């Protein structure tokens, strides 16, 4: 039995390029027919660790953080919407859209990992945020996402007030940042090499083919 290629995806639930990057990676894995040769683990990264519980209007947030004009934001969102459509993902940007705090979502993703449901929950949360206009910092939304992927919602939600579970996420975030990761998605292969950004599917195919040949 050959060892699986370990893929760590450092990302946030509210990061559009993380969604697109993962969907392109998934497509590459599927087209190469290597689903049984790779193991994916999602690693926590908060784009806005200091985001308030109420969140912030997305337009305001992007203007403050990146000094983008409204025209630039609209163009960028259209670009992401098109890129999402190419990989079968719907981005539904709207005027009242708010950026959300994602810390608790990351705590639940750690919980989901133990049950082999991490990718399912990650995609469910991304879909809730980007396609269904839902606030992924709200526990009611988190609870529904857990139920949707077949996890024990009560047990999972209890982790949100568990100091150990919260510290584990903080320490994982610190670990990946200590390696110099400051932008997401960063996709790490066998903890040895990495690519950043939502690379085209062909680039992922190339990287995966080479790494599997070497192993």
């Amino acid at each position: 039995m050959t060892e699986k290629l370990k893929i760590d995806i450092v990302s946030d639930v509210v990061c559009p390029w993380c969604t697109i990057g993962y969907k392109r990676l998934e497509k590459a894995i599927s087209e190469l027919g290597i689903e049984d040769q790779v193991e994916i683990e999602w690693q926590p990264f908060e784009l806005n660790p200091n985001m308030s519980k109420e969140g912030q209007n997305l337009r305001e947030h992007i203007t403050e953080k990146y000094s983008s004009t409204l025209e630039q934001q609209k163009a960028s969102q259209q670009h992401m919407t098109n890129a999402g459509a190419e990989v079968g993902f719907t981005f539904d940007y709207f005027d009242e859209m708010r950026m959300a705090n994602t810390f608790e979502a990351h705590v639940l993703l750690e919980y989901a990992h133990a049950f082999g449901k991490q990718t399912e929950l990650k995609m469910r949360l991304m879909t809730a945020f980007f396609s269904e206009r839902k606030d992924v910092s709200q526990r009611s939304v988190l609870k529904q996402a857990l139920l949707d992927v077949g996890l024990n919602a009560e047990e999972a939600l209890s982790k949100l007030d568990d100091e150990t579970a919260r510290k584990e996420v903080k320490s994982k975030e610190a670990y990946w940042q200590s390696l110099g990761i400051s932008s997401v998605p960063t996709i790490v292969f066998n903890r040895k090499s990495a690519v950043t950004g939502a690379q085209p599917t062909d680039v992922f195919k190339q990287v995966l083919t080479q790494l599997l040949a070497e192993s």
Side-chain angles (χ1 to χ4, degrees):
M1 176 73 196
T2 50
E3 259 186 53
K4 288 189 176 191
L5 173 63
K6 177 74 193 288
I7 304 175
D8 289 291
I9 307 178
V10 186
S11 78
D12 200 357
V13 171
V14 294
C15 159
W17 288 111
C18 297
T19 311
I20 294 163
Y22 169 68
K23 295 297 284 180
R24 288 176 178 171
L25 173 67
E26 182 186 48
K27 192 166 185 257
I29 290 167
S30 158
E31 286 180 6
L32 291 170
I34 55 167
E35 290 90 341
D36 57 344
Q37 293 174 59
V38 298
E39 178 196 335
I40 290 174
E41 184 173 347
W42 295 86
Q43 302 294 350
F45 185 99
E46 287 174 88
L47 285 170
N48 308 290
N50 302 316
M51 180 59 66
S52 70
K53 197 72 184 142
E54 303 76 62
Q56 184 185 16
N57 177 277
L58 183 65
R59 195 175 284 169
E60 247 172 56
H61 172 70
I62 301 286
T63 304
E64 260 175 43
K65 193 169 179 179
Y66 304 106
S67 308
S68 312
T69 65
L70 190 54
E71 287 67 36
Q72 287 170 327
Q73 288 185 45
K74 284 204 172 319
S76 165
Q77 288 170 357
Q78 191 53 56
H79 180 44
M80 288 183 288
T81 302
N82 296 343
E86 283 170 21
V87 286
F89 188 89
T90 304
F91 286 98
D92 174 20
Y93 285 100
F94 59 105
D95 289 348
E96 293 77 44
M97 190 168 186
R98 296 180 77 75
M99 183 47 80
N101 183 295
T102 56
F103 181 73
E104 294 198 336
H106 287 298
V107 174
L108 296 178
L109 286 162
E110 282 302 311
Y111 170 85
H113 181 248
F115 301 92
K117 295 259 186 185
Q118 204 184 24
T119 295
E120 234 180 302
L121 183 60
K122 183 85 174 190
M123 289 315 298
R124 187 70 207 88
L125 291 168
M126 285 172 154
T127 302
F129 182 72
F130 286 115
S131 318
E132 298 170 356
R133 303 190 172 194
K134 288 181 180 157
D135 178 352
V136 291
S137 69
Q138 286 190 1
R139 290 194 177 184
S140 57
V141 171
L142 295 171
K143 181 179 182 177
Q144 191 54 53
L146 291 161
L147 293 170
D148 289 344
V149 302
L151 284 165
N152 180 330
E154 297 311 318
E155 183 179 75
L157 291 170
S158 73
K159 297 285 177 196
L160 299 180
D161 301 308
D162 177 330
E163 212 35 59
T164 310
R166 294 176 74 89
K167 274 186 182 152
E168 189 183 344
V169 169
K170 288 286 181 208
S171 82
K172 283 194 171 189
E173 286 179 333
Y175 169 76
W176 292 101
Q177 283 170 10
S178 76
L179 297 180
I181 292 175
S182 59
S183 71
V184 288
T186 297
I187 299 170
V188 183
F189 300 94
N190 281 340
R191 304 231 164 163
K192 287 180 188 151
S193 60
V195 298
T196 56
Q199 297 295 331
T201 297
D202 284 347
V203 171
F204 283 130
K205 282 168 95 165
Q206 228 174 325
V207 171
L208 290 164
T209 304
Q210 194 180 338
L211 289 166
L212 287 168
E214 286 167 9
S215 67

